[in-house]
Amino acid sequence: MLTVTVNGVEREAPQGGRNLLSYLRFDLGLTGTKYGCGEGLCGACTVLVDGQPFRSCMTTVGAVAGGAVTTIEGVAVGDTLESLHPVQRAFVEEQAMQCGYCIPGFVMSTIGLLNREPHPSAGQVREALAEHMCRCGTYQRIERAVERAARGDA
Amino acid sequence: MSLKIVGDVQVGFPQLRTGYGAQTYGNTQPQTERATWIALDADGGITAYAGKVEYGQNIRTGLAIEVADELRVPIEAVTVVLGDTDRVPWDMGTFGSQSTARVGWQLRKAAATAREVLLTLAADRLDLPVAELEASAGRVASKSDGSRALTYADLLRGQEIEREIAADPPVTPASEFTVMGRAHKQRIDGIDRVTGRAKYSQDVLPEGVLYAVIIRPPAYGGRAKRVDLSAAERVPGVARVVEDGDLIAVLGEDDEAAALGARVAQVEWEIPAGQPSRFDLPALLVSSGQEPFVMQERGDLAEGFRGASLVLEATYFIPFIAPVPMEPRAAVAQWEGGHLTVWAGTQRPFGLRQELASIFGIEESQVRVIAPEIGGGFGAKSPYGLAHDAARLAKIAGRPVRVAFTRYEEMMWSNFRPAAIVEIKSGSTSDGRLVAWESVAYHSGDRVMIGRRGSETPYDPPHVKSTVYRSDSPIPSGSYRSLGAAVNHFAREVHMDELAAAAGLDPVEVRLRNLSEPRFRRVLEATAEAFGWSGPRMANGHGAGIALGIDVGSYVATAAEVSVQEKEVRVHRVAAALDCGLVVNPEGAANQMEGSIVMGLGGALFEASDFQDGRLLNSTFARYRVPRIVDAPRIDVRFVGDDTTPSTGAGEPGIVPIAAAVSGAVYGATGQRHRELPIQRYL
Ligand code: FES
Ligand code: FES
């Protein structure tokens, strides 16, 4: 039996080639992970697999079997500002959002980036987020939020 | 136990029975004339109701700020209910940057009325004259003895009060604001958005929902000639297939089963031949121009041009671009008996309710439309036919049905910003003073209001005529941030740069010479100063451009610094000044300005929707480039309005001058004038 761990809970992976994004959203009801393009080009569907950002729209559950998947629902310990993940808190404090649809993806990629590189340069931040899209155009705020989180000021 | 403030619902849009809304959608008549705007319950909870929807403009926080200030409570104490036809006042739709200007004002009046009621109740209970009392921090207290106080909850205990919004309630003057116009640490929905709890229409999944995929033609105007859904029906997990008139769909127990079913369905299409391609567009716009409408006329053009020593003539071209909201449209419909509930990310929940009632021949009271969070709209999500399809399918299936666009469908079946040709002829004196101005614009699409918006020149030539035609639209034209204003401004402001170059003047100087309106002069001067304007050619080899404009009553100017390498323009920084009167939520307004500038950079530099034989050629992100983080400049926004001037819109003006500013900056860097968009195609 193949298993997949989602936000700390081990589950039996569905049979067949179930798409990971569909599995998270529709089978588990974890709708914080978004669909934006289904072609790996917008980042809205980003989750962490074993701590690293991963486009869930482009893969099957089977492909991440045995791994630990973290979605946006799995990074905060509570629902007050204080109990958010520091990256989430930084996005709130910089008001780095408009419609917010892209934001879970940006948050997950930022967490992944800071896992790899706790003190990224401006260039590394841009590179890590280059394939995300925010049509509302909140990029300047997103960059500030990432910097704030990296400074430990969130 | 509660206090309800009720009032007229017809505040949502200025030209209610005529004008833009009426012409566009027809849903100009509310079913109910009055509604509850604010309710305080016995435990002190404050709820504000508005018929607007939230699609990123941050209206929930903006309205909470206005109500909180008037009721003397922190913003977190206010809950704002939006976009649910069963719960909120009727509204024509969320467009035209009217939310703060009109609905916010109505809520302020309602909240001020509520405050007066609370003061009167307290006067009675404390046996003090109203003049001796003040409301603050959710209590009414004696001005001289703060210990004599009652909370709003205390005051409302045992009460059941309903009041009409007072005709002239004591709304708080700007000098006494404590919440409005101040910096706020966060939006009231910020935490919901970073935790994934915010629910968008894509996320609505009622018990027993079926996932539908609608089979649509591969080209505009296509009709199904032969339909065979038997293979689709055999796909495991497909619950049923539907062929109902023009509606062909596969319904699955899960999304992938439905998608696979749709892929194996056999449909032969008839595609109308001879549809124009993008290369035919400029000529088509002019040749199909009809219904000329004179937007502005004064003086006598012939006389004006006789007196001109400098005459310039140029043509500007703006192609179709796609709105590309991050959230593709989705709609979920559920029937319970004869009652229909639809969740749809529409900018017009009440308009959609009316359409659904008429499609099914039922009363509007039998239909509830809920617009949850909307992942961007920019004007494009006013029409929402997808919800009609969802409701039809749910009725046929006898189960809730969810229909969601793929990105390809969102690109193809949305509506594009109209393409346009603008011809401008100007006459000036040798020192750059305009004496004559003639502009003729051709905008695609039937909705003439789009092309007309922003087509009048704000400059002072004594002899002027501005005419707007509507032209055939080979692909669907529709609303897009600022409608035609960004398009008309691009042409006019690039022309002003051309005049500056021809007269040997600085672009800022030439504009100032032709502008008497102080609000224009102020935004232009503030922008030049913030930017450190020193002319189009910068010492570091970069180019600089500047442009101004007006939209939704707000005055705006923008300057941009660019460098050009081969086929790529890099925008390094942008400075902008906005005069939108009173700024209720500075952080929210700045966010809107930044976003509209970034969005405008896409249309300025690389966005264009290409089509041929009725097919859209760039319908995926691999082929349609929108601005990314690496394209985003540093943006500095200033507000230079006056807080005693009523608020006007902040969500749209930012996009209006940016393309011309970039064109001017590219000219500064390369010496090449760009009259066509997107600029990178013509480098
Ligand atoms: S939805 Fe996966 S990258 Fe866009
Ligand atoms: S906030 Fe709307 S797409 Fe990023």
Side-chain angles (χ1 to χ4, degrees):
Chain A
M1 180 186 85
L2 289 180
T3 64
V4 57
T5 303
V6 180
N7 297 336
V9 179
E10 188 171 345
R11 298 173 179 275
E12 187 179 333
Q15 299 292 311
R18 184 71 172 141
N19 175 274
L20 178 57
L21 176 61
S22 292
Y23 172 69
L24 294 171
R25 287 176 50 78
F26 304 136
D27 302 351
L28 303 187
L30 296 171
T31 53
T33 306
K34 301 303 186 200
Y35 167 86
C37 68
E39 48 179 352
L41 294 172
C42 78
C45 65
T46 305
V47 296
L48 299 180
V49 177
D50 298 327
Q52 282 312 306
F54 206 86
R55 302 283 193 256
S56 65
C57 72
M58 296 290 285
T59 193
T60 61
V61 185
V64 298
V69 176
T70 309
T71 71
I72 190 73
E73 290 89 349
V75 296
V77 297
D79 45 14
T80 61
L81 188 61
E82 295 67 42
S83 54
L84 297 182
H85 187 284
V87 170
Q88 291 173 309
R89 200 153 52 232
F91 273 71
V92 172
E93 283 167 346
E94 293 296 343
Q95 302 199 20
M97 68 191 81
Q98 281 183 24
C99 76
Y101 194 80
C102 67
I103 294 301
F106 275 98
V107 167
M108 299 314 281
S109 273
T110 302
I111 294 174
L113 167 69
L114 298 182
N115 283 346
R116 296 194 294 283
E117 179 52 67
H119 301 290
S121 66
Q124 284 172 314
V125 171
R126 287 193 155 207
E127 195 189 313
L129 302 178
E131 289 184 358
H132 283 258
M133 235 180 89
C134 173
R135 184 54 158 172
C136 297
T138 63
Y139 298 121
Q140 169 162 299
R141 288 162 185 275
I142 290 171
E143 287 189 81
R144 284 210 303 262
V146 178
E147 285 161 20
R148 181 191 275 261
R151 277 200 311 273
D153 189 14
Chain B
M1 286 179 294
S2 66
L3 166 60
K4 284 199 175 117
I5 308 296
V6 302
D8 191 353
V9 301
Q10 300 205 23
V11 295
F13 210 81
Q15 312 110 322
L16 199 54
R17 289 183 180 78
T18 56
Y20 175 73
Q23 181 192 55
T24 305
Y25 306 117
N27 66 307
T28 54
Q29 281 304 323
Q31 282 240 314
T32 39
E33 298 286 330
R34 288 158 70 258
T36 300
W37 287 89
I38 290 196
L40 279 75
D41 58 39
D43 32 273
I46 299 170
T47 309
Y49 299 89
K52 297 296 178 192
V53 300
E54 174 72 79
Y55 58 100
Q57 76 284 39
N58 203 6
I59 193 61
R60 186 178 291 105
T61 301
L63 296 177
I65 285 172
E66 296 189 90
V67 170
D69 210 334
E70 296 294 348
L71 273 169
R72 317 288 191 248
V73 293
I75 55 173
E76 304 75 47
V78 181
T79 304
V80 180
V81 177
L82 301 169
D84 176 340
T85 58
D86 271 14
R87 301 185 67 198
V88 303
W90 178 90
D91 188 274
M92 189 188 292
T94 309
F95 38 69
S97 296
Q98 298 297 315
S99 298
T100 306
R102 293 181 182 267
V103 170
W105 179 244
Q106 178 81 339
L107 282 170
R108 279 182 65 189
K109 292 199 308 187
T113 305
R115 173 163 39 82
E116 285 296 286
V117 173
L118 292 163
L119 285 166
T120 316
L121 289 173
D124 203 36
R125 294 266 301 272
L126 296 171
D127 201 17
L128 286 168
V130 167
E132 299 279 296
L133 296 170
E134 66 184 351
S136 83
R139 313 180 324 153
V140 179
S142 154
K143 285 182 185 164
S144 52
D145 174 5
S147 69
R148 296 186 66 190
L150 288 165
T151 65
Y152 296 170
D154 287 336
L155 288 166
L156 291 176
R157 195 152 301 127
Q159 305 277 358
E160 200 74 55
I161 305 170
E162 186 172 304
R163 274 302 146 75
E164 196 75 27
I165 295 176
D168 191 17
V171 290
T172 308
S175 57
E176 288 169 29
F177 289 164
T178 53
V179 191
M180 278 185 264
R182 303 291 183 276
H184 293 282
K185 201 163 149 53
Q186 53 175 294
R187 307 163 45 128
I188 60 173
D189 51 8
I191 293 177
D192 284 347
R193 293 190 197 277
V194 299
T195 53
R197 280 203 303 264
K199 287 271 179 282
Y200 300 79
S201 51
Q202 286 268 351
D203 305 332
V204 175
L205 301 168
E207 194 60 38
V209 71
L210 285 172
Y211 298 78
V213 172
I214 295 173
I215 300 174
R216 295 172 196 276
Y220 298 112
R223 298 207 156 271
K225 257 193 338 205
R226 212 179 52 80
V227 179
D228 176 2
L229 301 176
S230 53
E233 212 163 5
R234 286 194 299 273
V235 170
V238 165
R240 63 175 298 158
V241 294
V242 171
E243 195 188 342
D244 177 34
D246 58 342
L247 183 58
I248 308 167
V250 179
L251 276 53
E253 297 293 341
D254 71 67
D255 59 317
E256 291 183 284
L260 182 57
R263 258 201 308 282
V264 301
Q266 304 284 319
V267 182
E268 257 179 65
W269 300 98
E270 198 169 81
I271 310 292
Q275 299 193 50
S277 88
R278 69 171 168 112
F279 299 107
D280 305 322
L281 188 55
L284 176 76
L285 286 167
V286 176
S287 66
S288 66
Q290 54 205 285
E291 237 187 285
F293 189 82
V294 178
M295 293 294 296
Q296 190 181 27
E297 189 167 22
R298 62 174 177 253
D300 172 357
L301 276 183
E303 185 193 322
F305 282 113
R306 267 196 305 277
S309 53
L310 190 60
V311 174
L312 298 177
E313 260 182 283
T315 299
Y316 306 86
F317 171 64
I318 299 93
F320 288 102
I321 59 177
V324 199
M326 265 322 284
E327 180 195 23
R329 283 171 177 74
V332 177
Q334 180 165 29
W335 288 87
E336 284 147 313
H339 192 277
L340 171 65
T341 303
V342 167
W343 291 263
T346 173
Q347 293 174 225
R348 298 170 51 245
F350 287 91
L352 178 57
R353 182 178 70 169
Q354 189 183 58
E355 292 160 13
L356 290 166
S358 101
I359 289 171
F360 297 103
I362 55 181
E363 292 298 316
E364 285 190 42
S365 56
Q366 295 292 98
V367 183
R368 178 180 188 182
V369 175
I370 302 171
E373 302 307 318
I374 304 176
F378 316 111
K381 286 183 180 168
S382 285
Y384 216 92
L386 194 63
H388 306 172
D389 300 338
R392 283 169 70 186
L393 292 170
K395 184 148 192 164
I396 292 166
R399 281 172 66 180
V401 167
R402 171 189 191 269
V403 195
F405 272 167
T406 61
R407 175 55 57 187
Y408 162 80
E409 290 173 308
E410 178 63 40
M411 292 290 241
M412 174 98 184
W413 300 108
S414 183
N415 28 266
F416 299 85
R417 182 173 79 179
I421 286 276
V422 185
E423 296 162 347
I424 297 177
K425 180 178 176 190
S426 69
S428 327
T429 60
S430 57
D431 64 346
R433 273 170 229 282
L434 287 167
V435 289
W437 180 276
E438 182 178 19
S439 76
V440 182
Y442 304 86
H443 291 256
S444 67
D446 297 335
R447 287 178 37 209
V448 295
M449 294 305 289
I450 295 180
R452 292 178 189 171
R453 183 142 136 202
S455 57
E456 305 98 327
T457 175
Y459 297 101
D460 301 332
H463 308 282
V464 182
K465 188 170 180 187
S466 305
T467 309
V468 179
Y469 287 78
R470 72 173 171 92
S471 301
D472 288 352
S473 191
I475 63 176
S477 288
S479 298
Y480 182 104
R481 206 171 203 163
S482 92
L483 302 185
V487 172
N488 289 319
H489 277 69
F490 169 72
R492 182 167 62 244
E493 289 296 298
V494 172
H495 195 89
M496 291 306 287
D497 279 352
E498 295 187 64
L499 170 59
L505 289 170
D506 180 84
V508 173
E509 178 55 29
V510 89
R511 286 172 171 84
L512 287 173
R513 274 188 197 183
N514 289 290
L515 277 175
S516 53
E517 166 61 49
R519 293 175 81 183
F520 276 124
R521 297 180 69 91
R522 181 161 63 177
V523 289
L524 181 61
E525 285 166 337
T527 299
E529 189 199 304
F531 184 79
W533 179 260
S534 62
R537 261 168 290 274
M538 299 180 63
N540 59 4
H542 293 179
I546 194 163
L548 60 77
I550 181 169
D551 195 40
V552 289
S554 299
Y555 298 76
V556 63
T558 302
E561 173 179 343
V562 311
S563 61
V564 181
Q565 246 163 20
E566 311 257 308
K567 296 271 172 207
E568 192 78 14
V569 176
R570 214 178 129 197
V571 183
H572 297 268
R573 64 189 178 101
V574 169
L578 179 70
D579 171 0
C580 58
L582 164 69
V583 182
V584 168
N585 178 12
E587 203 59 34
N591 204 338
Q592 283 297 309
M593 280 293 289
E594 293 158 18
S596 43
I597 287 165
V598 170
M599 193 172 194
L601 289 177
L605 291 174
F606 36 71
E607 288 184 42
S609 292
D610 296 328
F611 50 94
Q612 196 177 355
D613 304 325
R615 284 166 210 262
L616 188 63
L617 302 179
N618 46 359
S619 53
T620 65
F621 288 157
R623 287 168 177 239
Y624 190 92
R625 177 175 170 190
V626 299
R628 306 272 179 160
I629 202 164
V630 291
D631 303 310
R634 200 168 81 238
I635 301 172
D636 169 15
V637 176
R638 310 200 166 180
F639 298 102
V640 298
D642 184 333
D643 61 10
T644 57
T645 306
S647 303
T648 45
E652 301 181 88
I655 201 170
V656 160
I658 183 67
V662 169
S663 172
V666 170
Y667 172 81
T670 64
Q672 196 189 339
R673 187 66 70 194
H674 287 272
R675 302 183 187 91
E676 289 96 18
L677 295 179
I679 289 169
Q680 285 192 177
R681 274 207 179 156
Y682 301 93
L683 276 178

